[in-house]
Amino acid sequence: MKIKTLQSIQPNLYEEDYYLWIETTLRQIQNHDIENLDWENLAEEIEALGIEQRRKVESYLKQLLIHLLLYCYWESEREYCQRGWKNEIANFRDELEFSCRSKTLYNYILSCVDSVYPKARKQAINKSGLPSDVFPVKCPFTVDEILDDDYFPDV
């Protein structure tokens, strides 16, 4: 009878019981049991964590930009929606502030505004039903303005 080692079981554990795999991997790391770590899946999971953090930054940034655009340019709805938009803007700024605690993610925000803005613009156009030429093609806000808790576009 062949005895399975922990190392030979782990790839199956990853596929069969992900949460148990996490608990097992954490214990192995805490105990410095590097010989039995499932390195392949661990590396994939760490990479996925980084990708997820960047995706969250992009998502919060896009939502923040959408609401800033609506606040600034959707004049016919401003009176009725301004309070809600301000609340959403504050919420998305709070989420980005958490991410900005990492200098790397702050720099990522700086680098992705230009690629996220067109998506936010498109969503604002779709949501408002306004003609596309109402919304600037290039982001009208600086990163400092986007992240500034006290900044709301002059309307």
Side-chain angles (χ1 to χ4, degrees):
M1 180 172 170
K2 189 174 183 180
I3 299 173
K4 291 185 176 183
T5 65
L6 187 56
Q7 191 171 14
S8 67
I9 294 172
Q10 277 188 318
N12 293 335
L13 183 61
Y14 180 82
E15 294 168 10
E16 293 171 10
D17 190 338
Y18 178 72
Y19 188 76
L20 180 57
W21 177 85
I22 289 172
E23 288 181 327
T24 301
T25 302
L26 176 61
R27 267 194 320 278
Q28 289 170 331
I29 291 170
Q30 289 169 333
N31 294 329
H32 303 280
D33 182 10
I34 61 172
E35 293 174 18
N36 290 309
L37 279 172
D38 177 3
W39 288 103
E40 184 178 335
N41 288 316
L42 181 58
E44 286 178 19
E45 288 298 317
I46 291 172
E47 180 181 28
L49 285 172
I51 291 168
E52 178 63 18
Q53 291 300 306
R54 290 189 304 272
R55 190 201 65 73
K56 280 175 44 178
V57 163
E58 290 177 12
S59 178
Y60 291 136
L61 179 59
K62 182 175 104 175
Q63 292 302 316
L64 175 54
L65 288 169
I66 290 168
H67 287 84
L68 284 168
L69 287 169
L70 295 174
Y71 178 90
C72 192
Y73 296 101
W74 199 3
E75 295 174 14
S76 66
E77 295 296 312
R78 189 177 302 125
E79 182 181 340
Y80 307 105
C81 299
Q82 179 175 337
R83 210 162 117 201
W85 291 337
K86 279 186 167 185
N87 187 51
E88 290 299 308
I89 289 167
N91 286 336
F92 292 119
R93 281 179 172 153
D94 287 346
E95 293 298 332
L96 283 172
E97 181 185 330
F98 295 134
S99 295
C100 285
R101 292 177 185 167
S102 161
K103 184 70 171 161
T104 302
L105 288 176
Y106 174 77
N107 289 334
Y108 186 67
I109 291 171
L110 297 176
S111 73
C112 73
V113 169
D114 290 338
S115 63
V116 171
Y117 177 76
K119 296 171 188 170
R121 179 179 178 266
K122 183 177 180 179
Q123 290 281 353
I125 292 166
N126 290 338
K127 184 170 183 93
S128 68
L130 293 170
S132 61
D133 63 351
V134 169
F135 299 97
V137 173
K138 186 174 172 11
C139 185
F141 316 110
T142 67
V143 173
D144 288 340
E145 290 170 337
I146 292 168
L147 299 176
D148 181 353
D149 287 337
D150 297 320
Y151 172 77
F152 290 92
D154 292 329
V155 289

